[in-house]
Amino acid sequence: MQRHFDRDLDSLKENLARMGSLVDDQLDASCRSLFSGNIDLATVVIDGDAAINEMDNRIEKQCQSLLALNQPVAVDLRLLMAILKINRDLERMGDIAVNIAERTAALAPHREFVRSTRLEEMASIALIMVREALDAFINTYPPLATRVLESDDIVDTLNRNVFYRMVRAMQNDHRLIEACSHILILSRHLERLADHATNIAEDVIFLVEAKVVKHQTSIRPTGVTGE
Amino acid sequence: MTTDAITKIETDGLNLFYGEKKALDAISIAMPEHQVTALIGPSGCGKSTFLRSLNRMNDLIAGVRIDGNVFIDGTNIYLKNVDVVELRKHVGMIFQKSNPFPKSIYENVAYGPRINGESNKKALDDLVETSLQRAALWDEVKDDLKKSALALSGGQQQRLCIARALAVNPDILLMDEPASALDPIATAKIEELIYELKVNYTIVIVTHNMQQAARVSDYTAFFYLGQLIEFGETKKMFTTPEVKQTEDYITGRFG
């Protein structure tokens, strides 16, 4: 029996996928603006955040109605819980894109120095994690989510690497203090970005397998292997 | 759901007395066409009385006095020249307990049209099939239309009663707790059916089950002690009701 509730859930899932795609575009553009020093592109990113905030509100409202009107249980309830949390993560990721874009102008004169750090590598891994986490949700495919969880350690290591390098750079040349401070904050943002992708991956596993894998660094879902 | 929907049923200052007791107190409400309006509230709040006043079922009860107006498609159904039999053709009713006639499935559905003068076999066959299809029962009974209606399950009997109501081609369906005697699966079928029927009919449903009201209706009216406390879009009523009493009732704090 097809339930009209299913049609409402499909529409909600579509909106979340749309939100994911908006955020992905924003992150991609913000990183391109940063690493190429393209201030115009950075402005586009900053202006683009309003659309994400609007979608955030819309999805939250849809979830509220579906919860209030349908009293979902089991997989339906897990789906709504996952969507609420993923939506929040996506909105925060949108804010990170804006923050990256806002630092483009300050770092534009230091492009070569920025490139000498491993920030770009971090950004590229974090962006892949975001895309894979979203794909794992859209295709309800936990193996992809597991791969995202595994990538988080790489980003954490890179974050520490950037930190030590920036400390050393500042010790060696105080003229780089401002640029290094921006890079430290960016590194922290990219690390958070990877954390948000990890949260989404954990929500996908919770949704599909009804298992809580967050806060259990050594525990990974059984029966699920990376590709 | 649109705010500019056409009003199908409108009551204006409707009062109803059982003897000295005032059971409905100045109810004014406008129910939109092709939407499901749920009437909720604790026992004795007047919701069933209100429902029955929409096709003048209360006329049959001794000692009932009604004032105020009930308009259907803009016509006051309490005017003296209104033919009540004709009115009830347009405003069908489904009760809590399914009440099929002790006849075959076919005869149950064909009964209304026959009474209304339809005698053409082909026309009756078509009406029976269409009505059973609209009531989502056709696939389950099409090979056995001669079977006694009483041999059907409770959920099927209720859908048969819906088919019987549809056979006389109404445009409003009043439902008085249509699923309260059914198991959850049969209830879910009735709820999905209500959702589908609203494309062609305007539906008013009384339910004790607030979750059911939330699931099936577009608009909700909350009654308490014979008064209409709040009426609005179900989505709004169940997320951000305006009146404290409504919030207390739907969250189970009283009633």
Side-chain angles (χ1 to χ4, degrees):
Chain A
M1 185 177 42
Q2 164 83 9
R3 305 171 305 169
H4 68 271
F5 178 47
D6 290 322
R7 291 189 283 275
D8 293 340
L9 283 179
D10 285 344
S11 142
L12 177 62
K13 277 192 274 188
E14 267 169 40
N15 276 341
L16 193 78
R18 222 168 278 147
M19 170 87 164
S21 159
L22 279 176
V23 170
D24 183 29
D25 289 348
Q26 284 281 91
L27 287 168
D28 182 66
S30 69
C31 289
R32 278 190 290 123
S33 78
L34 176 71
F35 296 118
S36 65
N38 185 338
I39 295 167
D40 290 341
L41 185 56
T43 309
V44 172
V45 172
I46 293 163
D47 293 343
D49 195 44
I52 290 178
N53 293 340
E54 199 179 301
M55 193 58 123
D56 170 40
N57 283 340
R58 189 188 304 176
I59 290 171
E60 202 170 290
K61 208 166 173 191
Q62 251 182 311
C63 286
Q64 185 189 27
S65 290
L66 288 177
L67 284 165
L69 303 187
N70 296 280
Q71 313 88 39
V73 294
V75 67
D76 297 334
L77 178 62
R78 294 203 303 279
L79 176 64
L80 280 168
M81 286 174 67
I83 288 178
L84 268 175
K85 292 197 285 175
I86 292 172
N87 185 46
R88 189 172 180 84
D89 277 310
L90 287 172
E91 193 276 326
R92 301 299 294 271
M93 286 153 82
D95 290 344
I96 288 175
V98 169
N99 201 288
I100 293 171
E102 282 171 347
R103 292 173 202 279
T104 295
L107 285 173
H110 302 280
R111 267 173 65 198
E112 286 314 309
F113 178 64
V114 172
R115 287 196 164 173
S116 74
T117 70
R118 299 184 74 182
L119 208 59
E120 202 162 356
E121 188 185 345
M122 256 182 105
S124 126
I125 296 172
L127 281 185
I128 290 171
M129 287 172 70
V130 170
R131 268 169 218 160
E132 288 189 340
L134 287 170
D135 284 346
F137 171 77
I138 290 164
N139 301 312
T140 48
Y141 189 56
L144 201 53
T146 308
R147 197 156 83 187
V148 173
L149 301 186
E150 288 159 359
S151 303
D152 193 35
D153 290 344
I154 304 170
V155 178
D156 288 344
T157 306
L158 284 169
N159 180 39
R160 280 193 293 274
N161 179 292
V162 169
F163 177 82
Y164 291 121
R165 278 196 193 199
M166 290 307 101
V167 170
R168 258 201 314 278
M170 287 189 280
Q171 284 166 341
N172 293 340
D173 186 349
H174 70 271
R175 286 169 305 179
L176 287 175
I177 285 177
E178 189 183 337
C180 287
S181 302
H182 281 299
I183 292 170
L184 277 173
I185 294 168
L186 283 169
S187 178
R188 168 78 180 135
H189 277 310
L190 291 172
E191 187 267 328
R192 285 301 300 151
L193 188 60
D195 285 346
H196 287 302
T198 302
N199 291 345
I200 293 176
E202 288 166 347
D203 287 331
V204 171
I205 291 165
F206 170 68
L207 166 65
V208 181
E209 306 202 331
K211 283 179 190 155
V212 176
V213 291
K214 61 179 179 173
H215 309 312
Q216 301 178 46
T217 45
S218 61
I219 301 172
R220 290 297 180 229
T222 53
V224 174
T225 52
E227 284 181 311
Chain B
M1 242 178 290
T2 54
T3 48
D4 54 356
I6 299 165
T7 296
K8 183 75 180 173
I9 307 167
E10 185 171 6
T11 69
D12 175 28
L14 182 70
N15 295 308
L16 186 143
F17 301 84
Y18 290 120
E20 290 301 304
K21 187 183 177 302
K22 196 173 196 179
L24 291 176
D25 185 7
I27 308 294
S28 295
I29 190 169
M31 289 176 271
E33 188 173 35
H34 296 308
Q35 301 282 316
V36 179
T37 299
L39 312 179
I40 62 168
S43 297
C45 69
K47 58 191 186 296
S48 287
T49 299
F50 177 76
L51 186 81
R52 286 197 301 268
S53 68
L54 302 180
N55 70 346
R56 293 186 53 176
M57 293 282 279
N58 292 319
D59 291 14
L60 308 171
I61 300 169
V64 164
R65 184 165 60 82
I66 293 170
D67 61 55
N69 299 312
V70 177
F71 300 98
I72 289 179
D73 292 327
T75 302
N76 189 344
I77 63 166
Y78 281 92
L79 291 181
K80 284 201 165 56
N81 59 357
V82 168
D83 178 347
V84 178
V85 175
E86 197 59 33
L87 167 71
R88 291 191 192 134
K89 271 193 226 165
H90 289 285
V91 189
M93 191 148 188
I94 319 293
F95 299 89
Q96 175 179 6
K97 189 161 163 19
S98 55
N99 51 356
F101 305 132
K103 292 170 178 284
S104 70
I105 294 166
Y106 184 98
E107 286 305 323
N108 262 275
V109 183
Y111 187 83
R114 269 199 227 279
I115 295 271
N116 291 337
E118 183 59 76
S119 56
N120 180 296
K121 172 84 169 72
K122 174 79 176 69
L124 281 173
D125 286 354
D126 288 349
L127 257 174
V128 168
E129 177 170 346
T130 314
S131 305
L132 286 168
Q133 272 174 344
R134 286 195 166 178
L137 187 59
W138 175 250
D139 289 343
E140 292 163 54
V141 300
K142 64 180 175 203
D143 298 324
D144 217 357
L145 294 173
K146 290 199 163 64
K147 187 162 93 171
S148 165
L150 301 177
L152 296 171
S153 72
Q156 288 173 324
Q157 286 191 11
Q158 192 59 304
R159 278 179 285 145
L160 179 65
C161 291
I162 293 174
R164 190 176 62 188
L166 300 182
V168 294
N169 204 18
D171 42 24
I172 295 170
L173 288 176
L174 307 178
M175 300 187 171
D176 197 352
E177 298 197 54
S180 64
L182 303 178
D183 69 49
I185 301 293
T187 298
K189 280 188 186 158
I190 296 281
E191 289 181 4
E192 279 307 318
L193 178 58
I194 291 170
Y195 190 84
E196 282 162 22
L197 286 172
K198 73 176 177 186
V199 176
N200 296 307
Y201 307 93
T202 302
I203 298 171
V204 187
I205 175 172
V206 162
T207 175
H208 266 125
N209 180 335
M210 265 171 304
Q211 284 74 27
Q212 182 171 71
R215 284 191 297 268
V216 303
S217 70
D218 303 295
Y219 290 84
T220 297
F222 170 51
F223 284 77
Y224 186 58
L225 299 176
Q227 292 183 328
L228 177 65
I229 305 298
E230 187 169 353
F231 173 68
E233 281 193 42
T234 299
K235 205 180 268 186
K236 182 161 191 313
M237 290 275 278
F238 280 83
T239 52
T240 49
E242 293 200 344
V243 182
K244 177 83 169 54
Q245 266 176 309
T246 311
E247 182 139 321
D248 286 349
Y249 181 68
I250 63 175
T251 54
R253 288 185 168 81
F254 89 90

